[in-house]
């Protein structure tokens, strides 16, 4: 392992890769601060850039953008009560009241320290957990891989929230359907190309990700007339001190420790991700608090801000475990990273640890740097970065549109791709109006090809019989877990509604008091 | 009967799955492939059935709450259509007038559509930006950007 850490350090410490972390964190913070654009859109916008980089630098950049965007989302939650993404919604519960009390600086600093600690503790656990898991998974056969893909796909559907499970499963199947367009890699037969040459290569990952997450999100914000809203005015002079007193540090330290480990574990579960982690950590912290402290939640409690901030960063780190070791993304954002890695010729999964140790270790090592950059560089610069929010929306939106469209064009130099992007955006907008989630579709699309290959291999090896599912205990176990996850929504619905009620009650109490 | 978003979504995907299943039959196979345990049609067939079953499940379990009806109120559709048409026009312009000019036109068009009317702002926010991006791509990164068919036709390639 020590050798691996040194390999990772060697790659991550290369000046260019350090630059990537810094640039990624800045770009991510800025994009994450824009209301409506979250980590998924931020990472999607980076894909075209990573095409020109080597895989290690590419994923380092994306990881930097990921943390940056989560942090940026927290910043806008605290300053203007407009969470950039779902995982920072809880941050605004106590962060915004703090800002209203003239303690925005303290809230931002606390958010940054908690993100740093959560991310770092997460990265340390990852350092030990990932190689151990990767070693175990080296013995996997094609049947196990197929079972893993099924697990990944059902998990994402299972964690998609109330009333959304069937919709998420439909979207997963839709993604799998899209993955079958183009030449079949095993037999060479063209499928669903309708005689068009442009479709022989299938629908490109870049195009699909950019259309559904970058273009659609921007167009959706225009459709909701968000560009007509006044630009938020942030009074930089009223930020207040960024220092925390000793008592305050003592108060939040146990919270941070608990939420880090908790967030990481939630993040590791495929499909759960940072949003669920932040909500659950907030609920958990409220339960741990004394009756007197409970009243403070929702009114600017430091612990109420520390818990979700720590948990969402630890969960972001945790979601790299299934990505790096099993090739299954833990969230929509890591799904995009998986696609980008596959496009760069790197196959994440058990073999990544052996075949591309530089990618594997440098990602883990660069996470420390990413957290460090956020703390040392981003925090003091927040007043300046948030000034970018003052760029009028009518100017900013066409620029983002331009970047997403040319991002696709500059890779293929085929204008058909731009028209295809518009077509996919229209479909995605329609599906969003019907409240279908987009991430499962992308996941189905990314995992579709690998799943088909492994299913084919397993079926051919077992002469067409489905025995391979129960012949090996490992395969059977994974399939059983997948089925349990399918029935999880019933259990999680109960659990969620309870913790949700608890959170709502605390917020109401806070407002009432 | 109240038709909600779930019903519409379910019906759309049911039709999609049916069409997908129908075209699965068109996938050409090598002779004898149909007797293989896995061929080019296997997964599409499974997906078509799975899609159909899930769509029916969605229709059957759909919410019947009036609040879940598809409401298009409050959305600004004309501006979205105009912007998407602008993106398509940008793709056409890229081929005919090249990267630099089409970028300037696209940005000015975008700012204009979103309500910016000051000529000075329109030009300042588009021309320097487009020139910078064009310069960075073609001169610094050495990426070949075709000058556009109009110019090659008029002045020769």
């Amino acid at each position: 392992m020590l050798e691996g850490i040194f390999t990772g350090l060697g790659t991550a410490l290369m000046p260019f890769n350090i630059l990537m972390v810094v640039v990624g964190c800045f770009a991510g913070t800025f994009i994450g601060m824009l209301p409506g654009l979250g980590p998924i859109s931020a990472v999607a916008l980076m894909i075209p850039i990573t095409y020109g980089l080597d895989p290690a630098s590419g994923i380092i950049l994306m990881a930097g953008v990921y943390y940056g965007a989560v942090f940026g989302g927290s910043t806008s939650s605290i300053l203007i009560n407009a969470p950039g993404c779902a995982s920072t919604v809880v941050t605004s519960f106590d962060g915004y009241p703090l800002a209203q009390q003239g303690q925005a600086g303290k809230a931002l600093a606390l958010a940054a320290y908690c993100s740093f600690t959560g991310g770092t503790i997460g990265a340390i656990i990852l350092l030990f957990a990932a190689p151990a898991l990767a070693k175990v998974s080296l013995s996997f056969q094609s049947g196990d891989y197929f079972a893993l893909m099924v697990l990944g796909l059902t998990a994402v559907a299972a964690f998609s929230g109330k009333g959304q499970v069937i919709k998420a499963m439909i979207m997963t199947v839709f993604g799998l359907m899209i993955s079958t367009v183009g030449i079949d890699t095993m037999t060479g037969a063209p499928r669903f190309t309708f005689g068009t040459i442009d479709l022989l290569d299938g629908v490109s990952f870049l195009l699909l990700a950019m259309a559904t997450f970058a273009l659609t999100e921007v167009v959706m914000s225009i459709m909701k007339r968000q560009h007509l809203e006044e630009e938020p005015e942030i009074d930089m002079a009223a930020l207040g001190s960024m220092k925390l007193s000793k008592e305050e540090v003592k108060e939040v330290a146990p919270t941070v420790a608990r939420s880090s480990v908790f967030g990481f574990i939630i993040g590791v579960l495929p499909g759960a991700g940072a949003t669920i982690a932040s909500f659950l950590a907030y609920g958990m912290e409220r339960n741990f608090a004394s009756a007197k402290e409970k009243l403070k939640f929702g009114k600017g409690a430091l612990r109420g801000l520390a818990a979700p901030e720590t948990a969402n960063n630890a969960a972001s780190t945790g979601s790299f475990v299934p990505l790096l070791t099993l090739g299954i993304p833990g969230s929509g954002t890591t799904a995009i990273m998986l696609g980008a890695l596959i496009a760069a010729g790197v196959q994440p999964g058990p073999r990544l640890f052996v075949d591309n140790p530089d990618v594997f270790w440098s990602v883990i090592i660069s996470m420390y740097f990413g957290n460090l950059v956020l703390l040392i560089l981003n925090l003091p610069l927040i007043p300046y970065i948030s000034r970018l929010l003052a760029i009028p929306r009518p100017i900013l939106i066409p620029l983002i549109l331009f970047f997403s469209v040319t991002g696709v064009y500059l890779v293929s130099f085929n204008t058909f791709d731009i028209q295809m992007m518009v077509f996919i955006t229209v479909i995605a907008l329609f599906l969003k109006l019907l409240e279908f989630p987009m991430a499962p579709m992308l996941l189905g699309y990314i995992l579709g090809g690998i799943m088909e290959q492994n299913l084919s291999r397993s079926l051919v090896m077992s002469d067409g019989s489905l025995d391979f599912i129960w012949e090996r205990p490992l395969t059977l176990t994974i399939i059983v877990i997948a089925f349990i996850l399918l029935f999880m929504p019933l259990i999680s619905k109960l659990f969620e509604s309870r913790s949700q009620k608890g959170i709502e009650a605390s917020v109401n109490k806070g407002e009432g008091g | 009967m109240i038709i909600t978003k779930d019903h519409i979504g379910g019906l759309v995907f049911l039709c999609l799955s049916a069409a997908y299943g129908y075209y699965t039959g068109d996938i050409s196979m090598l002779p004898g492939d149909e007797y293989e345990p896995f061929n080019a049609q296997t997964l599409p067939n499974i997906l078509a059935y799975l899609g159909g079953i899930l769509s029916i499940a969605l229709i059957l379990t759909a919410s019947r709450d009036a609040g879940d009806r598809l409401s298009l109120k409050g959305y600004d559709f004309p501006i979205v259509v105009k912007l998407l048409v602008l993106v398509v026009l940008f793709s056409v312009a890229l081929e005919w007038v090249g990267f630099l000019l089409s970028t300037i036109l696209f940005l000015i068009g975008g700012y204009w559509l979103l309500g910016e009317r000051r000529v000075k702002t329109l030009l300042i926010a588009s021309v320097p930006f487009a020139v910078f991006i064009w310069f960075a791509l073609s001169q610094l990164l050495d990426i070949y950007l075709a000058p556009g068919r109009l110019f090659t036709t008029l002045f020769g390639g």
Side-chain angles (χ1 to χ4, degrees):
Chain A
M1 194 170 87
L2 214 57
E3 195 187 331
I5 296 175
F6 284 123
T7 315
L9 266 176
T11 317
L13 274 178
M14 286 196 308
F16 183 72
N17 289 342
I18 293 181
L19 181 73
M20 285 296 106
V21 177
V22 176
V23 170
C25 283
F26 273 114
T29 309
F30 173 57
I31 301 174
M33 277 169 107
L34 299 171
L37 292 181
I40 299 191
S41 318
V43 173
L45 278 167
M46 289 300 133
I47 311 169
I49 301 173
T50 62
Y51 276 31
L53 306 173
D54 69 272
S57 309
I59 196 159
I60 287 174
L61 174 73
M62 285 185 152
V65 170
Y66 188 12
Y67 314 130
V70 174
F71 182 68
S74 315
T75 311
S76 53
S77 288
I78 292 170
L79 290 179
I80 52 175
N81 200 18
C85 56
S87 61
T88 57
V89 169
V90 195
T91 306
S92 63
F93 288 180
D94 281 290
Y96 186 60
L98 274 172
Q100 281 179 317
Q101 293 159 20
Q103 293 183 312
K106 187 182 276 181
L108 283 173
L110 182 65
Y113 296 141
C114 292
S115 302
F116 173 75
T117 322
T120 307
I121 295 179
I124 292 172
I125 309 177
L126 177 68
L127 192 66
F128 292 99
L133 195 58
K135 265 184 196 153
V136 174
S137 50
L138 267 179
S139 59
F140 280 20
Q141 294 179 357
S142 51
D144 308 328
Y145 277 116
F146 168 71
L148 267 181
M149 304 295 150
V150 175
L151 173 66
L153 294 177
T154 48
V156 168
F159 284 105
S160 54
K162 37 187 174 346
Q164 290 272 307
V165 180
I166 298 183
K167 281 181 171 175
M169 287 200 302
I170 289 181
M171 288 304 277
T172 312
V173 172
F174 184 43
L176 288 168
M177 285 177 176
I178 300 175
S179 78
T180 59
V181 175
I183 289 190
D184 176 26
T185 45
M186 274 154 306
T187 61
R191 299 193 288 194
F192 309 104
T193 55
F194 306 104
T196 334
I197 300 171
D198 289 303
L199 283 176
L200 279 180
D201 268 345
V203 180
S204 108
F205 155 71
L206 171 68
L207 199 155
L208 195 67
M210 292 286 262
T212 45
F213 287 104
L215 204 56
T216 306
E217 292 299 331
V218 178
V219 172
M220 197 75 192
S221 77
I222 301 167
M223 203 156 90
K224 288 181 182 163
R225 300 193 165 111
Q226 281 174 352
H227 63 288
L228 298 176
E229 290 166 12
E230 292 259 317
E231 278 76 39
E233 274 188 32
I234 301 160
D235 186 4
M236 292 305 153
L239 271 184
S241 159
M242 284 196 168
K243 278 182 187 149
L244 288 170
S245 69
K246 258 187 187 171
E247 288 74 37
E248 286 165 339
V249 173
K250 261 189 194 165
E251 187 194 335
V252 295
T255 306
V256 170
R258 272 195 293 270
S259 307
S260 302
V261 180
F262 182 71
F264 185 85
I265 296 170
I266 299 283
V268 171
L269 301 174
T275 309
I276 295 179
S278 63
F279 269 97
L280 290 182
Y282 188 86
M284 182 178 81
E285 207 47 49
R286 223 191 124 267
N287 286 339
F288 274 125
S290 64
K292 200 178 148 197
E293 282 172 334
K294 262 185 197 169
L295 288 175
K296 284 191 196 162
F297 276 70
K299 275 162 78 182
L302 294 182
R303 283 170 70 178
L305 173 64
E309 267 308 298
T310 313
N312 69 19
N313 267 54
S316 307
T317 314
S319 64
F320 277 87
V321 173
L323 173 72
L324 293 175
T325 57
L326 305 172
I328 293 179
S331 60
T333 319
T334 39
I336 293 187
M337 290 190 195
L338 173 69
L341 276 178
I342 295 174
V346 175
Q347 181 61 60
R351 299 282 318 165
L352 178 71
F353 181 55
V354 181
D355 297 338
N356 299 83
D358 54 328
V359 175
F360 185 89
W361 288 103
S362 58
V363 172
I364 297 181
I365 301 291
S366 69
M367 281 181 184
Y368 294 105
F369 294 141
N371 286 311
L372 214 59
V373 167
L374 280 182
L375 193 67
I376 299 174
L377 287 177
N378 271 25
L379 184 61
L381 290 176
I382 277 297
Y384 306 99
I385 302 178
S386 41
R387 254 179 222 168
L388 288 169
L389 282 178
I391 299 176
R393 295 280 177 276
I395 303 290
L396 202 59
I397 289 170
L399 287 176
I400 301 176
L401 275 180
F402 170 77
F403 279 121
S404 39
V405 170
T406 42
V408 170
Y409 172 73
L410 288 174
V411 170
S412 65
F413 291 97
N414 185 355
T415 49
F416 171 80
D417 281 0
I418 299 181
Q419 290 145 24
M420 185 79 177
M421 226 175 138
V422 172
F423 177 67
I424 294 176
T425 305
V426 173
I427 297 176
L429 277 176
F430 175 66
L431 291 175
K432 275 193 98 110
L433 284 177
L434 293 175
E435 288 172 5
F436 278 88
M438 288 293 139
M441 191 253 307
L442 199 66
L443 197 66
Y445 167 80
I446 293 169
L447 294 182
I450 319 166
M451 193 174 102
E452 187 175 12
Q453 279 174 20
N454 285 304
L455 175 64
S456 142
R457 232 173 269 155
S458 318
L459 276 175
V460 170
M461 280 197 298
S462 61
D463 213 12
S465 107
L466 286 173
D467 287 350
F468 71 93
I469 291 177
W470 45 83
E471 260 175 3
R472 274 167 61 84
L474 186 63
T475 326
L476 185 65
T477 316
I478 302 173
I479 290 282
V480 168
I481 297 175
F483 271 93
I484 293 174
L485 277 177
L486 264 184
F487 294 101
M488 264 285 283
L490 284 175
I491 307 161
S492 72
K493 218 177 184 177
L494 271 175
F495 188 63
E496 225 172 63
S497 63
R498 265 192 195 173
S499 69
Q500 189 71 27
K501 265 182 198 163
I503 291 169
E504 274 166 15
S506 88
V507 173
N508 290 341
K509 262 185 191 174
E511 281 166 0
Chain B
M1 185 191 153
I2 295 168
I3 295 181
T4 59
K5 292 174 195 170
D6 293 0
H7 290 113
I8 302 174
L11 273 176
V12 169
F13 275 104
L14 189 62
C15 295
L16 178 87
S17 304
Y20 183 84
Y22 174 78
Y23 284 108
T24 298
D26 284 359
I27 299 171
S28 53
M29 285 197 290
L30 299 170
D33 242 8
E34 58 270 33
Y35 305 111
E36 290 293 323
F38 197 93
N39 57 45
Q41 288 188 2
T42 312
L43 187 70
N45 266 322
I46 298 173
L47 291 177
Y49 282 112
L50 211 56
I53 293 168
L54 286 171
S55 311
I56 293 170
L58 180 62
I59 295 171
L60 291 179
T61 60
S63 128
R64 283 170 176 75
D65 186 12
D68 282 331
R69 274 189 193 157
L70 180 63
S71 161
L72 300 179
K73 268 182 206 160
Y75 291 118
D76 191 350
F77 286 104
I79 185 92
V80 171
V81 173
K82 283 178 203 163
L83 267 179
L84 291 178
V85 168
L86 183 72
V87 175
V88 174
L89 288 178
F90 175 57
S91 76
V92 177
L94 267 174
E95 247 174 70
W96 284 94
V97 296
F99 185 82
L100 185 59
L101 207 57
S102 49
T103 302
I104 295 175
L105 294 174
F106 172 75
L107 290 177
I108 292 180
Y111 303 150
W112 176 273
L113 283 178
L114 292 179
E116 184 58 63
R117 291 289 182 271
R118 288 164 294 180
V119 179
K120 207 172 151 191
T121 315
L122 287 175
L123 290 175
I124 289 177
S126 60
V127 179
F129 175 81
V131 171
F132 171 74
I133 295 281
W134 173 83
F135 180 79
L137 290 172
S138 64
Q139 307 300 313
L140 298 180
L141 297 173
D142 225 7
I143 295 171
Y144 174 73
L145 295 169
R149 261 195 258 171
L150 191 69
F151 297 115
T152 44
T153 323
L154 285 176
F155 307 110

